[in-house]
């Protein structure tokens, strides 16, 4: 189900991109979406899940075993700052709130013998992203990038319920983005892109897949 849902999101995004590209073609070719030294402040919301997340629901609904695998459910909310080096290349950073629930299992477990909070870490993190993105030349509405996210746990989401520390340890992620830039030349605006993020935890690697919705990007400095 998760894979089908992701496919629907991708197809919807491609359709939106095609429609937007047709509108962009009405703009003179010499006008770029962004200019060198443009600075943008973005408000972000994101969600990511591993494709095997349905196995969690099976266990919580009364399944007999918790299958081995690497699971994760993550959210992002916060601000990003972006600086354009060229009209097609930008550097990005920011500060995000990042709730993350992850579980690394190297063998099946009997669901009668476990509590989720005993085996899963649930850090509420402050996250510092460091990334580079490009607006693909000739198709500047297409936005892609790669980066590094530094995740600093400050508390455990389930600490109060579990009576134990579910905060987990510091970990890094490697977000890879591909999506659509709806910002008009000389203005602010929205972006929507899909993200796959390998998360490197002490006991293994989980790979949530999802999206980032930059609700709005304000232009702080740049050519109008």
């Amino acid at each position: 189900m998760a894979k089908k849902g992701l496919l629907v999101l991708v197809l919807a995004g491609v359709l939106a991109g095609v429609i937007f590209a047709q509108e962009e073609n009405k703009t003179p070719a010499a006008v770029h979406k962004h200019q060198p030294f443009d600075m943008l402040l973005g408000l972000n919301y994101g969600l990511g899940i591993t494709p095997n997340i349905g196995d969690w629901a099976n266990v919580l609904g009364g399944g007999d075993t918790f299958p081995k695998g690497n699971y994760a459910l993550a959210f992002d909310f916060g601000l990003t700052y972006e600086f354009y080096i060229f009209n097609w290349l930008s550097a990005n950073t920011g500060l995000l709130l990042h709730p993350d629930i992850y579980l690394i299992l190297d063998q099946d477990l009997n669901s009668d013998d476990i509590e989720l909070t005993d085996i899963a870490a649930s850090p509420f993190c402050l996250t510092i992203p460091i990334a580079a993105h490009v607006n693909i030349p000739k198709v500047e509405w297409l936005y892609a990038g790669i980066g590094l996210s530094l995740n600093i746990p400050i508390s455990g989401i389930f600490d109060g319920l579990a009576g134990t520390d579910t905060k987990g340890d510091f970990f890094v992620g490697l977000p890879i983005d591909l999506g659509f830039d709806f910002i008009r030349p000389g203005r602010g605006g929205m972006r929507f892109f899909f993200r796959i993020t390998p998360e490197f935890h002490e006991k293994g690697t989980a790979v949530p897949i999802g999206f980032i919705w930059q609700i709005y990007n304000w232009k702080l400095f740049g050519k109008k």
Side-chain angles (χ1 to χ4, degrees), residues 83-166:
F83 175 79
Y84 270 83
I85 303 168
F86 307 110
N87 56 46
W88 55 272
L89 175 64
S90 64
N92 311 263
T93 188
L95 184 62
L96 305 172
L97 301 177
H98 180 77
D100 196 324
I101 304 171
Y102 64 89
L103 173 64
I104 311 296
L105 288 179
D106 57 8
Q107 63 181 359
D108 294 347
L109 293 180
N110 189 316
S111 61
D112 294 332
D113 299 332
I114 61 172
E115 292 289 341
L116 184 61
T117 51
D118 291 336
I119 60 176
S122 61
F124 187 89
C125 302
L126 288 178
T127 295
I128 301 171
I130 302 170
H133 285 83
V134 296
N135 290 84
I136 308 300
K138 306 298 184 181
V139 282
E140 294 185 346
W141 50 268
L142 190 59
Y143 186 76
I146 188 170
L148 187 71
S149 60
L150 309 176
N151 299 283
I152 306 167
I154 57 176
S155 66
I157 299 171
F158 296 138
D159 281 1
L161 296 175
T164 186
D165 183 5
T166 67

Side-chain angles (χ1 to χ4, degrees), residues 13-213:
V14 170
L15 178 61
V18 170
I19 295 172
F20 186 70
Q22 292 174 345
E23 293 297 318
E24 283 281 281
N25 288 336
K26 298 177 183 179
T27 305
V31 178
H32 293 289
K33 186 178 289 292
H34 305 286
Q35 299 293 334
F37 306 113
D38 278 359
M39 300 181 189
L40 301 174
L41 180 68
L43 178 64
N44 300 254
Y45 171 76
L47 168 66
I49 60 174
T50 51
N52 59 358
I53 199 73
D55 291 338
W56 285 24
N58 177 57
V59 173
L60 296 176
D64 294 331
T65 61
F66 207 122
K68 67 179 181 180
N70 298 347
Y71 304 83
L73 170 64
F75 300 89
D76 285 293
F77 184 76
L79 298 174
T80 53
Y81 167 80
E82 186 167 17
F83 175 79
Y84 270 83
I85 303 168
F86 307 110
N87 56 46
W88 55 272
L89 175 64
S90 64
N92 311 263
T93 188
L95 184 62
L96 305 172
L97 301 177
H98 180 77
D100 196 324
I101 304 171
Y102 64 89
L103 173 64
I104 311 296
L105 288 179
D106 57 8
Q107 63 181 359
D108 294 347
L109 293 180
N110 189 316
S111 61
D112 294 332
D113 299 332
I114 61 172
E115 292 289 341
L116 184 61
T117 51
D118 291 336
I119 60 176
S122 61
F124 187 89
C125 302
L126 288 178
T127 295
I128 301 171
I130 302 170
H133 285 83
V134 296
N135 290 84
I136 308 300
K138 306 298 184 181
V139 282
E140 294 185 346
W141 50 268
L142 190 59
Y143 186 76
I146 188 170
L148 187 71
S149 60
L150 309 176
N151 299 283
I152 306 167
I154 57 176
S155 66
I157 299 171
F158 296 138
D159 281 1
L161 296 175
T164 186
D165 183 5
T166 67
K167 185 172 67 173
D169 300 315
F170 170 85
F171 65 96
V172 300
L174 188 69
I176 302 167
D177 301 327
L178 178 63
F180 307 99
D181 185 340
F182 297 100
I183 298 174
R184 296 287 184 178
R187 305 179 187 177
M190 182 188 78
R191 289 194 185 103
F192 185 90
F193 46 93
F194 300 99
R195 170 170 288 180
I196 179 170
T197 310
E199 292 182 351
F200 303 100
H201 302 286
E202 183 178 359
K203 296 182 180 179
T205 301
V207 188
I209 300 170
F211 66 88
I212 297 291
W213 175 28

